[in-house]
Amino acid sequence: MVTLFHMSLPCLSVRDTKKFYTSIGASIGRSTQSWVDINLFGHQITFIKAGKFNFNSPNYVFEGKILPSFHFGVVIGLDAWNEVYAKLKEQDLELVDKTTFLKDNLGEHTSFFVNDPNDYMLEFKSFKNPSDVFKS
C-alpha cells in the first residue's frame, strides 16, 4: 500500500493559494471559501484561511547555501522536477535557484525553493538515485 502524506497549514487567501498550486501542476480537491485540499504529487495539503501568521524561523547553512529551516516540499523524478522548475521560471517568481547538494556522494540531489502566496518556502528535490532518499 502506498502511504500518502497529509499536512494542514494556515493560509492568507484560498483563491491565491489555489491559483499558485494549480499553476505548478497540482490539482484541487475538496474546498470551500475557507479551506482547500491541494493534491501535490499525490500528497494532501490542506490550507485553511486563518489571516496573518508568523513562524519566525531562522535559516541554516548547508554546503555553503543559506536555506530556510521552516519549509516543506516534495521529492519527485527529474522530468517532473524540470517541468515544475520551468513553469515557475516562466512566472518570473523569486526562486532560490537550483543547486545540486552532496555532489558525487550518497544522497546527491538537485533542489530549488520558492515562496508560495502564504510565504511558505516550498522545496522541490530530485535525487540522482531515488533509492538513496533515506540512506545514510
Side-chain angles (χ1 to χ4, degrees):
M1 176 182 164
V2 174
T3 302
L4 304 179
F5 188 83
H6 164 76
M7 178 171 28
S8 181
L9 298 167
C11 76
L12 298 172
S13 165
V14 171
R15 181 182 53 87
D16 291 347
T17 300
K18 284 180 178 181
K19 182 179 174 185
F20 174 81
Y21 283 93
T22 57
S23 78
I24 61 171
S27 61
I28 304 300
R30 298 170 296 157
S31 69
T32 70
Q33 288 185 328
S34 60
W35 60 270
V36 60
D37 283 340
I38 302 291
N39 176 347
L40 186 64
F41 294 92
H43 301 283
Q44 183 190 53
I45 303 174
T46 301
F47 288 98
I48 301 167
K49 188 171 181 171
K52 204 77 169 140
F53 52 89
N54 186 351
F55 289 99
N56 289 327
S57 57
N59 295 324
Y60 70 102
V61 177
F62 182 62
E63 293 190 344
K65 293 280 188 180
I66 298 173
L67 302 173
S69 60
F70 180 78
H71 66 274
F72 68 95
V74 292
V75 177
I76 54 179
L78 188 57
D79 290 341
W81 188 95
N82 284 320
E83 184 178 316
V84 171
Y85 186 78
K87 285 179 182 179
L88 290 170
K89 287 295 264 191
E90 287 173 5
Q91 294 179 45
D92 199 31
L93 295 172
E94 187 177 328
L95 303 177
V96 176
D97 214 7
K98 59 183 176 180
T99 303
T100 298
F101 293 103
L102 302 171
K103 183 84 174 141
D104 299 322
N105 289 296
L106 184 67
E108 179 179 331
H109 63 279
T110 302
S111 182
F112 75 89
F113 292 83
V114 63
N115 269 334
D116 82 356
N118 305 296
D119 207 27
Y120 292 118
M121 207 43 113
L122 180 60
E123 180 181 15
F124 291 86
K125 286 184 178 185
S126 183
F127 279 78
K128 182 177 180 180
N129 184 351
S131 66
D132 288 351
V133 172
F134 293 109
K135 288 184 180 173
S136 61

